[in-house]
Amino acid sequence: MPLHAIPGYSRLNRNHKLSAAAVAAGGAAAVVFAVVPGSANAEPAHNAASAQNVKPVAYHVVDDSSAYSLVDNAAAKAQNAELTQSSTRAADQASAEAFAAKKQAEGDAKAAAEAKAKAAADAAARAKEDAKNQRTTQAASRSSERKPVTYANNLDGWIRESLSIMKKNGIPGSYEGIKRNVMRESGGNPRAINNWDVNAQMGIPSKGLLQVIQPTFEQYHVAGTANDLYDPVANIVAACNYAADKYGSMDNVDSAY
């Protein structure tokens, strides 16, 4: 039977066709061998019967399209698996980066909160220390106000005490201006008295550190000082009060006044 008469032969590929031709050739060779006389012991009848019992070779057409489909499916699965792994790795990396960013943000927020808390604590500590210092200063000031100032019982102390009283009463004058006139008028003697000038001739001699007559002392006497013309502080303050009224200040007096 011609090879092209085999059903489906035209659909076979080259390898299949070569296989089919080999099988056909083998079958033909077997038939020829069967009819060729053999050895003396050969049994022609039996060989003929055997030849008659030879069944026709069945040809099976193999369709390899399914094999190609399997290969394609395997490649597709491998590609899908690779894509899945890539996506998984990308997702894991993104998750790790998000986690790291979150931790960084939490760390920054914690550091900022700690810095803010420290600044608040430092401010509170400074405020507490300032309040303590203020209380100490106020206490010292009150103590200073309650404690009377003690002045030396000499010309320096008398002038300084007089200046303190003059400042409270708005009477101008300086330490140097007062001392200069005291030294000229009495030499610093609070009991000095002038019994020879015109005032003495009128019966009202000048007395004290700045040689003040009694009527002037009484008129310009400053409350809070002793009512005694010989008292050093009372004498200085009254004389400076008089000089401020007549000359503007004891600093402007350079001779008898």
Side-chain angles (χ1 to χ4, degrees):
M1 180 170 44
L3 291 178
H4 63 269
I6 298 174
Y9 181 80
S10 61
R11 295 193 301 274
L12 298 180
N13 58 26
R14 183 174 179 273
N15 291 333
H16 295 162
K17 290 177 181 180
L18 291 174
S19 299
V23 171
V31 172
V32 173
F33 179 79
V35 298
V36 174
S39 64
N41 295 328
E43 297 179 0
H46 178 75
N47 290 334
S50 298
Q52 291 177 356
N53 291 329
V54 175
K55 295 180 180 181
V57 177
Y59 298 100
H60 179 68
V61 179
V62 178
D63 186 0
D64 61 350
S65 61
S66 60
Y68 287 115
S69 298
L70 292 175
V71 172
D72 292 341
N73 290 337
K77 288 182 179 179
Q79 184 177 8
N80 290 336
E82 184 178 357
L83 291 174
T84 300
Q85 291 178 355
S86 298
S87 299
T88 302
R89 287 194 297 269
D92 292 343
Q93 183 177 358
S95 178
E97 291 176 353
F99 181 78
K102 180 181 178 182
K103 286 297 183 182
Q104 181 65 35
E106 290 176 353
D108 293 344
K110 182 178 179 181
E114 290 177 350
K116 185 176 181 181
K118 185 178 183 303
D122 292 343
R126 287 194 299 271
K128 184 177 180 180
E129 186 66 21
D130 291 343
K132 180 180 178 180
N133 293 336
Q134 185 176 5
R135 288 193 299 270
T136 301
T137 302
Q138 290 175 349
S141 178
R142 288 192 297 269
S143 177
S144 177
E145 291 174 357
R146 288 192 298 267
K147 184 179 179 180
V149 179
T150 301
Y151 297 97
N153 189 25
N154 55 30
L155 180 59
D156 178 75
W158 299 331
I159 295 175
R160 293 185 184 281
E161 185 175 358
S162 298
L163 286 171
S164 176
I165 296 172
M166 291 164 58
K167 182 177 180 180
K168 293 177 181 179
N169 289 273
I171 301 172
S174 67
Y175 183 96
E176 295 300 328
I178 293 172
K179 184 176 182 179
R180 183 181 68 249
N181 283 283
V182 165
M183 296 307 294
R184 186 186 67 250
E185 294 292 339
S186 64
N189 179 11
R191 304 298 299 181
I193 182 172
N194 186 330
N195 289 316
W196 59 85
D197 64 3
V198 64
N199 289 324
Q201 294 175 8
M202 294 175 60
I204 48 173
S206 301
K207 300 177 182 179
L209 290 174
L210 285 171
Q211 294 293 286
V212 181
I213 62 176
Q214 189 64 38
T216 300
F217 177 80
E218 293 175 355
Q219 181 179 355
Y220 290 96
H221 173 260
V222 175
T225 61
N227 192 19
D228 180 2
L229 185 58
Y230 287 109
D231 180 84
V233 174
N235 187 282
I236 292 173
V237 173
C240 287
N241 193 21
Y242 167 77
D245 183 41
K246 301 299 182 181
Y247 306 100
S249 172
M250 181 60 74
D251 294 346
N252 299 329
V253 177
D254 293 316
S255 60
Y257 56 99

